[in-house]
Amino acid sequence: MNATDLGTAGIAVIGGGVVGAAIAYGLTRQGEDVCMLDEADIAHRASRANFALVWVQGKGWLPAQDRAEPDYAILTRSSAAAWQDFAAELEAQSHVAVHFAGPGGFNLALSDDALEQRRIMLQRLDATPGVGSSGFEVLGRNALMKILPDIGPDVVGGIFCPLDGHVNSPKLLHALHVASQRLGLRFLAGAAVREIVPVTRGFRLATAAGTLTARRIVISAGLGSERLAAMVGLHAPVRPIKGTIMVTEKLAPFLHHPITNLRQTNEGGVMLGGSTEDVGYDDSVGIGISGALAARAVQMFPRLASASIVRVWSGLRVMSPDGLPVYEESARHPGAFVCLCHSGVTLAAAHALMLAPMLSAGRIGAPFASFKTARFDVPAPV
């Protein structure tokens, strides 16, 4: 074996963020010989930009098309339902607390019209055949104040969904890595994949650290996945969507439910988020966006006006053209899979417990099979 020969693996997972790490953990717990390759922290890692929500409310509704995507709603709800047991298993295996809590979550409304529009959307989503009820409740201001007494005077009401929760996402990523390696996974940091070459018995991966040969591969490299997928005959278009997150100093506990764009962490800091910017690969922090996030947070919870902001950062989320995940095996080069989504935290349980066994068996089944890349080749209606 020469200095650049990294040996062989049964399955190589390309990408060590939340999506790749959850899949790698699931494959390793299936008894597979797994090697996970990661570009390291120089990557545009979507895991930096997530808000750490395990979120069901509204997932599966496509606003641009004014319709539901039932399989995405089903997938999301299945993953959320599995999260409690998934977190317990992960903590037992890794000895890392991920601080998952599933108390249900709120979307707060600053106008009666916004509250009614969201109610109608959720009602239509739940009424879609195959989806079923999420158990959401519409609460007026008086009812809401019994649960969230610190809301500001501009909050007219909110919608509560009992299926929502949140987690400590840096701890989650760490736990996935630790648990996988304890089960036998080989992790290669600083091993950005430069080229994938199909060979007789699998794939040869040329990386920054050397060359690895694998029987099968799973491409979960975030924004780098489009380039890599093309090397094995797959079209997986993705674009970066910037999100900015702010964190306050540690505060005494006052917010016991996550809000769509605001949550108090287990450590006491309050995270502010919910921004969306289509600005390419610019991950710089904008003063305007930061100010808007802070102003909205204070409008919802005036007590935050006196809280100090201790950290602000931006990251690039992974978004397909329709916002839905991508799961597919290459028809041209069987054994090569691409798995992408922008809800890696919410779907982590599904990726580890549902998708990984399918990848181990060599076939992607329902509900993941609905999200093939061929849908991007359908002409838009005139």
Side-chain angles (χ1 to χ4, degrees):
M1 181 180 295
N2 60 47
T4 60
D5 188 347
L6 300 176
T8 64
I11 302 178
V13 176
I14 305 173
V18 170
V19 175
I23 292 171
Y25 170 70
L27 288 168
T28 308
R29 73 193 287 275
Q30 290 290 118
E32 294 286 356
D33 169 28
V34 183
C35 181
M36 181 165 63
L37 304 100
D38 190 51
E39 189 176 358
D41 284 341
I42 60 171
H44 289 289
R45 197 182 298 285
S47 299
R48 293 194 190 101
N50 76 69
F51 203 55
L53 295 176
V54 177
W55 207 250
V56 166
Q57 189 176 159
K59 291 291 184 71
W61 185 259
L62 306 182
Q65 301 178 35
D66 193 35
R67 69 171 181 88
E69 175 49 65
D71 282 349
Y72 187 48
I74 292 167
L75 173 59
T76 299
R77 296 179 188 194
S78 297
S79 191
W83 243 100
Q84 187 73 57
D85 290 342
F86 172 60
E89 175 189 315
L90 196 56
E91 290 179 349
Q93 184 65 49
S94 66
H95 305 299
V96 176
V98 301
H99 299 285
F100 169 72
F106 286 90
N107 180 279
L108 301 185
L110 299 174
S111 72
D112 291 326
D113 184 59
L115 185 63
E116 177 62 9
Q117 286 185 22
R118 189 163 183 84
R119 182 197 67 79
I120 292 172
M121 180 269 285
L122 294 176
Q123 188 175 54
R124 290 179 63 189
L125 176 59
D126 283 7
T128 302
V131 174
S133 174
S134 63
F136 79 86
E137 300 177 59
V138 180
L139 302 177
R141 178 174 174 80
N142 291 338
L144 188 61
M145 287 191 69
K146 294 178 181 179
I147 306 171
L148 302 173
D150 294 298
I151 56 173
D154 293 337
V155 178
V156 302
I159 294 181
F160 173 76
C161 177
L163 305 180
D164 295 329
H166 59 152
V167 69
N168 184 314
S169 60
K171 295 288 188 181
L172 168 63
L173 183 59
H174 181 51
L176 287 167
H177 278 247
V178 171
S180 298
Q181 290 177 67
R182 286 186 172 178
L183 290 172
L185 173 136
R186 182 158 58 118
F187 176 56
L188 298 177
V193 176
R194 296 168 174 167
E195 185 180 24
I196 304 174
V197 180
V199 295
T200 303
R201 295 182 179 178
F203 303 87
R204 186 173 65 251
L205 309 180
T207 84
T211 301
L212 177 80
T213 302
R215 179 169 45 89
R216 280 179 277 173
I217 61 171
V218 178
I219 301 170
S220 294
L223 294 169
S225 297
E226 183 172 10
R227 176 183 66 86
L228 296 173
M231 297 177 184
V232 291
L234 287 167
H235 176 52
V238 289
R239 74 185 195 279
I241 295 295
K242 183 165 76 170
T244 297
I245 296 176
M246 307 171 70
V247 179
T248 72
E249 61 185 316
K250 295 179 181 179
L251 304 174
F254 75 95
L255 188 56
H256 304 292
H257 296 78
I259 312 296
T260 311
N261 45 36
L262 189 152
R263 72 184 191 92
Q264 188 167 27
T265 72
N266 63 285
E267 297 166 338
V270 176
M271 292 184 70
L272 320 178
S275 67
T276 300
E277 297 179 85
D278 192 350
V279 292
Y281 283 85
D282 175 13
D283 61 359
S284 62
V285 174
I287 295 176
I289 287 293
S290 301
L293 292 179
R296 182 178 60 189
V298 171
Q299 190 176 15
M300 291 182 170
F301 292 93
R303 65 180 293 165
L304 293 175
S306 61
S308 297
I309 298 295
V310 298
R311 189 180 172 211
V312 183
W313 73 95
S314 293
L316 302 179
R317 306 185 189 102
V318 178
M319 196 68 66
S320 71
D322 58 9
L324 296 173
V326 171
Y327 305 106
E328 187 168 7
E329 180 179 13
S330 172
R332 190 184 307 170
H333 301 289
F337 299 87
V338 62
C339 300
L340 300 169
C341 76
H342 74 277
S343 295
V345 173
T346 297
L347 295 178
H351 289 159
L353 306 180
M354 299 166 56
L355 177 61
M358 295 179 186
L359 295 173
S360 178
R363 179 180 177 275
I364 296 178
F368 303 95
S370 299
F371 303 105
K372 294 183 178 180
T373 58
R375 70 185 191 267
F376 302 132
D377 299 326
V378 178
V382 179

